[in-house]
Amino acid sequence: ERPNVFAPAGETRAIAYAWDRQNWFPWANAEQKAARESVAIFDMTSFAKLLVQGRDAETELQRLCANDVAIKPGMSVYTGMLNERGGYESDVTLSRLSAHEFLLLTGTAQAVRDLDWLRRNIREDAHVTVTDVTSAYSVLPIMGPHSRELLQRSGGTKLDNASFPFGAVQPIEIGYATGLACRRTYMGELGWELYIPTEFVAGVYDTLHEAGGDLGLRDAGYYAIEALRLEKGYRAWGRELTPDVTPYEAGLGWAVKLDKGCDFIGRNALLAAKSLAPATRCVSLVAIEADAPLAHGGELVLRDGRPVGDVTSAAYGAALGRVVMLASLKTGGLKLDEAALSTQALEVDIGGQRIKVRATLRAPYDAGNMRVRG
């Protein structure tokens, strides 16, 4: 169970279903605006959480992950777990809590799947245990330009860039509770994900709202998350990332470390694929017209009137004032770059209406990540 959108005071808490802009459309836009301009609190407690412990934890995770997870305690890393074909079995965030302890955050409803993948691929003689701790922690992302000020008001942890750089994981005190804060974002803003023991989260939530009233703090749901992450071009498991999609096709080659000194699962397939243009490529699409109909995912993408791919995710990005999408495009064996995409006449078929879109390999919003850096 997770909130999709919060009805403002005086509005009926109900969804009036439609293909285009529904009754919650302005509510979700206001939540996006809070995350972009002030501060918003999200509930991503539905994320699955696995605790990986033991003296061989780093060694085994290096075998299972494409990125280099030999990070220092107190840091985190984003990585894919791949199959032998180089396709995604999952994409996760690993936080290293100590020399022999990692907290793995993965997608909603993936606890059983990822736990099974880990247990089937960890070597039998390895000194490693994996424990499902999903119900033990709530996840409250605090995102927006005022997120640092809000958290500093609520506790004594230093949150400046020097004390708490991007990717760091540190204990944090909020009200009567102590949890973990991880400086990462799925919304493309300055912010922290708070991992709070479940029995304390209600008090933490109240403390944050008491401290953030004059900062414009607002509750925000998954409709806003979807739009915010698409403005930043962030991929999602099950849509952009599947067992048949490699990091190079997903545009996440930067999260692959072929030379980390470990023959991780999928490495041979990636070595063979690295020198070739991927057959498909994940790109961001932005509607040219502000009043274009909403896309929902699964729509056909056309180049010069001919099918070349399909939309994998779509939403209305309030900061861009446009429908924003991620799509998988066929490359025809050619390398797609920004210059090549800029010359292509692309359209998306939405319910029989073709809308013009521009394509980019960069994030449509804040491509330089200046806001994330705070």
Side-chain angles (χ1 to χ4, degrees):
E1 181 177 316
R2 60 191 192 182
N4 284 324
V5 67
F6 290 85
E11 296 283 356
T12 302
R13 288 182 288 176
I15 299 295
Y17 289 102
W19 284 113
D20 206 56
R21 290 153 173 79
Q22 301 178 23
N23 65 315
W24 52 262
F25 186 77
W27 310 346
N29 287 350
E31 293 171 12
Q32 292 182 56
K33 183 177 180 181
R36 295 287 189 230
E37 299 180 6
S38 52
V39 60
I41 182 170
F42 300 83
D43 182 359
M44 300 178 79
T45 300
S46 58
F47 273 13
K49 311 154 196 88
L50 304 175
L51 196 61
V52 184
Q53 298 170 292
R55 64 172 178 260
D56 295 328
E58 178 189 301
T59 300
E60 292 304 294
L61 287 172
Q62 285 283 62
R63 288 182 50 254
L64 291 168
C65 297
N67 210 339
D68 187 354
V69 304
I71 52 177
K72 296 179 180 179
M75 294 300 294
S76 65
V77 62
Y78 169 76
T79 182
M81 293 195 297
L82 311 179
N83 53 42
E84 293 289 356
R85 304 189 310 278
Y88 280 89
E89 290 298 327
S90 190
D91 70 316
V92 305
T93 297
L94 278 172
S95 296
R96 191 165 198 169
L97 307 183
S98 66
H100 304 309
E101 185 177 31
F102 293 79
L103 181 63
L104 183 153
L105 258 73
T106 184
T108 299
Q110 281 181 237
V112 172
R113 175 190 172 88
D114 286 7
L115 185 61
D116 177 68
W117 180 258
L118 289 168
R119 287 177 172 168
R120 282 194 289 118
N121 287 283
I122 289 175
R123 290 177 293 196
E124 291 185 4
D125 60 347
H127 191 279
V128 178
T129 61
V130 184
T131 309
D132 183 355
V133 294
T134 299
S135 63
Y137 295 94
S138 292
V139 180
L140 298 181
I142 311 299
M143 298 291 155
H146 296 329
S147 58
R148 178 181 280 127
E149 183 176 355
L150 172 61
L151 291 173
Q152 286 178 333
R153 288 182 183 185
S154 305
T157 305
K158 292 183 178 180
L159 300 171
D160 58 276
N161 285 332
S163 303
F164 211 131
F166 183 80
V169 181
Q170 297 181 23
I172 189 170
E173 294 182 359
I174 300 178
Y176 296 106
T178 300
L180 290 171
C182 180
R183 189 172 166 187
R184 285 197 169 271
T185 176
Y186 197 45
M187 298 81 174
E189 293 292 333
L190 173 68
W192 284 260
E193 293 179 354
L194 305 183
Y195 310 148
I196 306 297
T198 304
E199 62 268 30
F200 291 107
V201 70
V204 168
Y205 174 85
D206 290 342
T207 297
L208 291 169
H209 267 283
E210 290 167 4
D214 64 331
L215 296 177
L217 177 62
R218 189 180 186 120
D219 292 313
Y222 264 77
Y223 292 155
I225 292 173
E226 185 75 349
L228 294 167
R229 69 107 177 167
L230 288 173
E231 286 187 328
K232 285 294 293 178
Y234 292 157
R235 281 56 166 159
W237 164 256
R239 283 174 278 179
E240 290 74 45
L241 308 179
T242 75
D244 296 318
V245 173
T246 71
Y248 302 135
E249 293 171 325
L252 297 177
W254 56 267
V256 173
K257 298 297 184 288
L258 295 171
D259 58 351
K260 64 178 179 175
C262 173
D263 189 18
F264 61 87
I265 298 175
R267 181 174 181 269
N268 289 336
L270 295 186
L271 283 170
K274 185 173 176 58
S275 61
L276 305 174
T280 62
R281 185 65 162 83
C282 183
V283 304
S284 289
L285 303 178
V286 181
I288 300 298
E289 301 296 334
D291 60 351
L294 297 184
H296 301 276
E299 291 84 3
L300 186 69
V301 182
L302 303 104
R303 181 191 299 127
D304 299 323
R306 296 186 176 184
V308 291
D310 60 284
V311 173
T312 51
S313 300
Y316 181 86
L320 297 176
R322 299 286 189 278
V323 174
V324 61
M325 297 159 271
L326 283 170
S328 177
L329 298 188
K330 297 177 182 177
T331 66
L334 302 176
K335 183 178 179 180
L336 286 182
D337 56 25
E338 206 66 33
L341 284 174
S342 67
T343 64
Q344 295 186 6
L346 295 174
E347 296 176 306
V348 173
D349 187 317
I350 303 177
Q353 180 179 344
R354 294 185 180 182
I355 68 165
K356 294 181 179 181
V357 296
R358 66 175 179 89
T360 177
L361 298 176
R362 306 178 72 206
Y365 176 85
D366 186 31
N369 282 328
M370 297 305 295
R371 299 177 70 87
V372 175
R373 296 171 185 168

